[in-house]
Amino acid sequence: MSDEIIVPKGLANVVVDSTSIATTGASGNLLYRGYRAVELAEKKTFEETAYLIVNGKLPDKEELSRFRNELFSNMKVSKEVLDIMKIIKEHDIMRNIRSMVSLYPYAKGNDQSLFTQMEAKLPLLSAYSASAFLGTPVKEPTGEGFSQKFFSLISNGNSKNWRSFEKLMILYLEHEFNASTFALRVSASTLTDPVSAVTSALATLKGPLHGGANSEVLTYLGSIENEADAKKFIEGKLERKEKIMGFGHRVYKKKDPRAQFVREELGRIAPKDPKYVAAEMVENYMFEKKGLPANVDLYAAVLMDYLGINEMFYLPVFACSRIFGWNAHYFEQLKDNKIIRPASSYSGPEERGL
Ligand code: COA
């Protein structure tokens, strides 16, 4: 075909559509609707920022109260759903929540209310699927805000640190055309329903090159006690041409502003934490050796570990936050929709007879 356009593998640097929700910005700062994500994390609550992402503006008092009420009144799961999770007894929580969302037996209502229901239930599905697997009783969420309630379900640590968790949740909210959001937009472009589109996104987020990176970080940090260990670990990985989780990014080639923010947060609350110290050593040597910056997942894993959150929840935490970004992208895609259907260049055999 003469009008074919050959694009780089992985669509690297290809602009496939426009978005007004977030940008990684010419300045290298991640902006949500024009505001710096790190500033929102410092000064706003999760609900205020999620409202901004979904609705395009920060809420006034009344809008915030309505948004919170809608979320909190949907924060429950039925006995039938709990029973299904007990039957499945799946140890991989991400697989479980993907399956539970796709089953969604109570998927009634308009598209926005379906998103609200999924957003409200995802933290419970995450916590309760762990209870179903471990055979422990389900807890009722406690606390004022969305992330504080979620924190109460999954943390065994000091509850006074919940704000650090909320900041991380804010930084995970949105990231323009990342792989899971793009998967969601491809699904939305076929005019499928929100539940199906979110199922595509959850399935895509799960991969180790995307959201799955954060749960692999702790394993190697636990084995690093000093600079010699850090060097040995990195050199071994690079020699074997293996990727080191928590490093590199398709967009941030010099620094990931979210990683630096979480690193500073840890420096403030846990400067002597052994995994934090190990992460800094690995980050410094990796930059010296390969010029690759840490991404948010390196320090997110250390922070969640410090906050007493089991590794099984790291990826679900990401999903419970990013679903608000998916919500905004679903409707943005529909506003000016054209089905996303690229072409391919064929590398199979020539036409032949049987
Ligand atoms: N460890 C070791 N080397 C890495 C690396 C990592 N984590 N990430 C990138 N590199 C290297 C590549 O091998 C390549 O080296 P080369 O030029 O010598 O061949 C170079 O850096 C460019 O990387 P590339 O794979 O082209 O980047 P990408 O934009 O296609 O991929 C990621 C981006 C995120 C998929 C990739 O950096 C990665 O796999 N990181 C680990 C997983 C991770 O932490 N994901 C979370 C992202 S928030």
Side-chain angles (χ1 to χ4, degrees):
M1 269 190 291
S2 57
D3 52 356
E4 265 182 6
I5 302 165
I6 310 285
V7 298
K9 242 189 156 30
L11 300 181
N13 300 320
V14 174
V15 175
V16 295
D17 207 341
S18 69
T19 179
S20 63
I21 306 164
T23 178
T24 46
S27 61
N29 290 311
L30 171 61
L31 305 181
Y32 293 165
R33 306 276 190 189
Y35 300 103
R36 280 188 189 196
V38 293
E39 200 180 347
L40 290 161
E42 201 59 69
K43 297 181 182 160
K44 295 288 174 188
T45 63
F46 182 82
E47 293 95 302
E48 285 172 306
T49 317
Y51 184 98
L52 168 74
I53 298 279
V54 173
N55 297 289
K57 68 181 268 294
L58 284 163
D60 62 27
K61 232 172 151 191
E62 214 173 280
E63 289 163 334
L64 182 62
S65 156
R66 209 173 322 120
F67 185 70
R68 287 164 57 99
N69 288 343
E70 276 165 14
L71 267 181
F72 298 163
S73 61
N74 277 292
M75 264 191 135
K76 52 191 176 224
V77 294
S78 65
K79 186 179 169 307
E80 287 80 4
V81 170
L82 289 175
D83 287 345
I84 296 171
M85 291 200 288
K86 280 188 200 148
I87 294 166
I88 298 175
K89 238 185 163 197
E90 169 62 60
H91 77 284
D92 181 334
I93 298 188
M94 196 61 193
R95 230 159 41 191
N96 210 349
I97 62 176
R98 182 210 56 209
S99 305
M100 297 316 295
V101 164
S102 71
L103 281 177
Y104 223 57
Y106 29 77
K108 293 191 195 88
N110 64 32
D111 286 356
Q112 183 50 63
S113 97
L114 284 175
F115 265 104
T116 306
Q117 290 175 57
M118 287 188 283
E119 287 157 358
K121 293 181 197 312
L122 219 48
L124 303 186
L125 291 176
S126 306
Y128 295 169
S129 73
S131 302
F133 175 70
L134 299 168
T136 53
V138 297
K139 288 199 249 173
E140 280 303 313
T142 55
E144 292 284 306
F146 185 77
S147 43
Q148 197 176 6
K149 288 179 192 294
F150 188 18
F151 189 69
S152 75
L153 293 174
I154 60 171
S155 165
N156 298 318
N158 191 337
S159 60
K160 86 175 188 333
N161 284 324
W162 71 269
R163 238 321 262 169
S164 298
F165 177 70
E166 175 160 81
K167 290 177 185 175
L168 178 66
M169 288 275 290
I170 291 173
L171 295 178
Y172 269 147
L173 265 167
E174 165 55 8
H175 214 217
E176 42 111 325
F177 278 33
N178 61 89
S180 55
T181 302
F182 190 57
L184 171 122
R185 287 190 76 128
V186 172
S187 300
S189 82
T190 70
L191 304 185
T192 193
D193 62 282
V195 175
S196 305
V198 167
T199 307
S200 303
L202 286 167
T204 309
L205 181 65
K206 188 176 173 300
L209 297 188
H210 188 9
N214 63 12
S215 49
E216 295 194 22
V217 165
L218 276 196
T219 316
Y220 71 75
L221 286 183
S223 68
I224 291 170
E225 287 181 7
N226 51 44
E227 282 184 11
D229 291 344
K231 285 183 181 175
K232 197 167 152 215
F233 166 73
I234 290 170
E235 279 161 9
K237 289 290 251 186
L238 293 179
E239 256 164 48
R240 294 189 298 275
K241 298 206 176 310
E242 289 170 3
K243 291 269 169 75
I244 303 171
M245 297 299 134
F247 284 92
H249 201 275
R250 174 56 63 79
V251 179
Y252 302 121
K253 296 300 180 195
K254 294 214 174 86
K255 78 172 168 78
D256 177 343
R258 304 164 304 168
Q260 295 317 307
F261 181 90
V262 181
R263 175 181 171 156
E264 281 164 28
E265 182 74 8
L266 275 161
R268 204 174 51 72
I269 64 171
K272 296 201 173 107
D273 180 72
K275 293 202 180 82
Y276 170 63
V277 176
E280 282 201 309
M281 288 188 291
V282 173
E283 185 190 18
N284 293 342
Y285 191 62
M286 185 73 166
F287 200 76
E288 184 186 319
K289 189 86 188 153
K290 187 93 186 159
L292 272 179
N295 62 50
V296 64
D297 286 331
L298 180 73
Y299 288 104
V302 180
L303 177 64
M304 286 193 270
D305 181 59
Y306 178 75
L307 295 177
I309 298 172
N310 189 297
E311 207 182 316
M312 62 172 31
F313 293 117
Y314 291 5
L315 184 49
V317 165
F318 191 164
C320 289
S321 169
R322 185 58 59 85
I323 188 172
F324 290 86
W326 295 337
N327 176 342
H329 280 276
Y330 181 84
F331 292 105
E332 189 177 69
Q333 179 63 37
L334 293 189
K335 230 186 209 170
D336 183 20
N337 190 45
K338 185 167 170 78
I339 188 166
I340 301 173
R341 199 299 189 194
S344 59
S345 80
Y346 178 63
S347 59
E350 293 287 311
E351 185 172 346
R352 53 184 162 169
L354 285 172

